[in-house]
Amino acid sequence: MDAKKWFVPFYGLIWVGVSLWLSGCGSVVGQGTPPAWKPGTPTANPTRVQITLDLVGPSTQTKPVVTLTNAQMVRQLYSTIYALEQMPDNIACTAERGPHYMLTFLEGERKAVSVLAQRDGCRPVSIKGEAGDRRASNEFWTLLDKAIDVATPAAKPQSVAILHTLQPEMQVESTQIADTVIAQRLYNSILKLQLLAPFPQSTGPGCQEETYPEYRLVFHTAEQVISSLINKSCGTISLDGNHLSRTGTYKRDTQFDQLFAEMLRQATFSQARPDQLMLQINSNTGDQQKQVKDVTRLLKLYDKVLTLPTTQPEPNCPSNEDKIAGKARYTSLNFTQWDLPVLSVSVYEGSCKRIDLGLTSKVLRGDQEFWDQLHHLAQA
C-alpha cells in the first residue's frame, strides 16, 4: 500500500532511472487506475500495542518487540494514526533504508488492527485493510518514539565504567564505579532527559559525529552491557540497550551535566589497561575471530603498539596484486577494558606490511618483536 509513483513521460532510459529512484513510492501512472482511497474508521478501543522494530542492520538480527500497556498512550497513538492524511499523489520518494515499525493494537486479547510505519522514503503509514497509505506527521513520530521508550524496561546497572580520551587512540584513561547506587543514579538521570530518537545516533541538526568522543560509558547489569556515548557538539547522550532495556538518544541539560561533572571530580582515573583483545583475521584461507584471554600477553602487545614509531606508508600497500594472488591478510586488533574501546589497530600483511592506528591517519612501523607477538597470539 504505497503512494503513487511520480515520473515524467520522456525517453525510455529516463523513465527507468526515475522509476528506480522512486522505488517503493506507489503505483506508476499508466498501469491502471488505482482504487479510490477510502480511509478506515477507528472503531476499536485498544488497551495495548505490540511494536516490532525492524531496524537497519544484519538481516539475521532478531527483531525486538516491546509492548506498551499504558492505555491512555495507546489510544492517543491509535487515534493519531487514523487522523493522518492520505499520502499525496505524484510525490517523489527517496530510496534510503530506515527503521520500520509494525504496530499491532489489541483490545483485550482481540487484535484490533495492524499498522506498518516506515521511517524512510515518504514516511508512509499503512493501515491493514486500507487501499492507500497515509503520510506520517511529526506528532505521530514523537508519539511512537515515546511509546517505544516507555514500553522498554529500564535497566538496573550494578556498575558504570568511564573512558576519557585525552589524545585520540594514544592517551586514554579510565575508571570503574562499582557503587550500585551511583551507577543507578547516573542511569536514571539519563532517562529523565528529553528523548530525541528511540535509537542511538551520533549526529543531528547543527552537529556532527565525533570520531573520538571525550567520554564513553558502559553500564553493566546482571544481564547485559549497555554502552553510552556523550557527544559534546550535539549536546546529547545515547544509551544502547539493544531494546532489551531503554535505548535512544537524549538531549543533555544543565542538571545532568552538573551531576556528571561531580561524578568525574569524585572518580579516580588511571591509564587505561585493556583486559580483553578481539582479533579478526581475514585471508584467502578464510575468516576467523578470536578472543584473547591471556591478559599478560595482550598487555604486552598493547604496550608494544604504544611504543611503535610512526612512518610513511609504502606506495601501493595494500596491493591489488596481493589480492589477486590470494596473499592478502588483514588483522584487526580491538583492545577493550570493562567493554570500553581502548585501542584499535588494523594490520595488513602481504608483499608489504602496514599498521594503521585506529581511525587516525597514523601509520606505524612494526619491528620483529611486534610481528612475533602478533603471530603468536593469532596462532594460540
Side-chain angles (χ1 to χ4, degrees):
M1 296 184 295
D2 296 323
K4 296 178 182 178
K5 276 185 181 173
W6 169 88
F7 74 96
V8 179
F10 199 56
Y11 300 106
L13 289 177
I14 295 180
W15 182 89
V16 171
V18 171
S19 61
L20 286 174
W21 175 62
L22 301 175
S23 60
C25 293
S27 304
V28 179
V29 177
Q31 292 184 346
T33 303
W37 186 70
K38 297 180 179 179
T41 303
T43 58
N45 188 28
T47 54
R48 56 194 173 101
V49 58
Q50 293 179 344
I51 307 173
T52 302
L53 289 76
D54 184 4
L55 306 174
V56 179
S59 58
T60 56
Q61 179 176 312
T62 302
K63 298 177 182 178
V65 180
V66 297
T67 301
L68 179 67
T69 58
N70 183 311
Q72 182 179 355
M73 292 182 64
V74 171
R75 290 166 188 147
Q76 185 180 11
L77 181 60
Y78 177 75
S79 60
T80 299
I81 290 173
Y82 276 94
L84 295 175
E85 297 179 352
Q86 178 186 8
M87 182 71 74
D89 293 340
N90 306 321
I91 183 172
C93 302
T94 55
E96 83 279 9
R97 172 65 166 92
H100 294 177
Y101 309 91
M102 177 59 73
L103 288 72
T104 303
F105 288 91
L106 301 165
E107 186 173 6
E109 296 302 317
R110 183 183 71 86
K111 181 189 293 187
V113 70
S114 295
V115 179
L116 175 63
Q118 303 179 54
R119 211 170 200 146
D120 52 24
C122 290
R123 306 310 196 256
V125 175
S126 308
I127 301 176
K128 187 175 182 179
E130 289 191 353
D133 291 339
R134 297 174 185 249
R135 191 172 194 175
S137 63
N138 290 335
E139 180 187 8
F140 165 76
W141 290 121
T142 299
L143 289 174
L144 178 58
D145 291 348
K146 186 63 177 178
I148 294 172
D149 187 57
V150 172
T152 306
K156 296 181 178 179
Q158 299 173 338
S159 64
V160 59
I162 305 173
L163 187 74
H164 183 204
T165 301
L166 303 173
Q167 180 180 333
E169 289 286 359
M170 292 300 288
Q171 296 184 26
V172 290
E173 56 182 22
S174 59
T175 188
Q176 185 180 44
I177 302 173
D179 189 316
T180 303
V181 174
I182 295 177
Q184 188 72 60
R185 182 187 178 196
L186 179 61
Y187 179 83
N188 290 345
S189 69
I190 297 175
L191 301 186
K192 293 178 181 178
L193 299 173
Q194 177 190 354
L195 177 70
L196 298 179
F199 44 82
Q201 64 180 15
S202 54
T203 59
C207 64
Q208 59 185 3
E209 182 176 1
E210 296 178 340
T211 305
Y212 295 101
E214 185 175 1
Y215 289 104
R216 292 179 182 267
L217 296 80
V218 164
F219 293 93
H220 291 95
T221 76
E223 297 83 19
Q224 65 173 156
V225 174
I226 305 169
S227 61
S228 179
L229 181 67
I230 292 180
N231 188 312
K232 295 187 71 174
S233 66
C234 295
T236 61
I237 182 169
S238 63
L239 282 176
D240 190 358
N242 197 30
H243 294 283
L244 299 175
S245 62
R246 295 287 179 90
T247 301
T249 303
Y250 302 83
K251 182 67 176 177
R252 301 195 332 266
D253 59 19
T254 302
Q255 186 175 358
F256 172 83
D257 286 344
Q258 289 175 346
L259 172 64
F260 186 63
E262 180 61 26
M263 289 186 61
L264 294 179
R265 283 192 293 269
Q266 296 180 6
T268 302
F269 283 85
S270 58
Q271 182 181 0
R273 303 295 290 165
D275 52 28
Q276 293 187 58
L277 168 62
M278 184 63 70
L279 290 175
Q280 292 180 303
I281 305 171
N282 306 97
S283 66
N284 65 314
T285 59
D287 301 335
Q288 59 177 311
Q289 183 171 287
K290 179 176 297 185
Q291 183 176 0
V292 178
K293 299 181 181 180
D294 189 326
V295 177
T296 301
R297 287 183 174 175
L298 74 85
L299 281 174
K300 188 176 180 181
L301 179 60
Y302 173 77
D303 291 336
K304 185 61 184 177
V305 171
L306 296 184
T307 64
L308 295 179
T310 58
T311 186
Q312 292 297 317
E314 295 184 35
N316 193 32
C317 183
S319 70
N320 291 326
E321 291 78 7
D322 286 350
K323 299 176 184 177
I324 296 173
K327 297 180 180 179
R329 177 186 173 95
Y330 298 89
T331 304
S332 297
L333 297 85
N334 294 291
F335 295 90
T336 60
Q337 181 184 25
W338 305 314
D339 298 298
L340 290 163
V342 175
L343 180 71
S344 62
V345 181
S346 299
V347 178
Y348 174 78
E349 296 176 86
S351 60
C352 61
K353 294 182 178 181
R354 176 169 174 156
I355 306 170
D356 289 276
L357 187 63
L359 299 176
T360 69
S361 57
K362 294 180 180 179
V363 177
L364 306 179
R365 184 174 71 248
D367 56 19
Q368 192 59 48
E369 183 182 4
F370 166 81
W371 295 111
D372 289 344
Q373 290 183 26
L374 175 62
H375 294 156
H376 180 80
L377 289 177
Q379 296 168 8

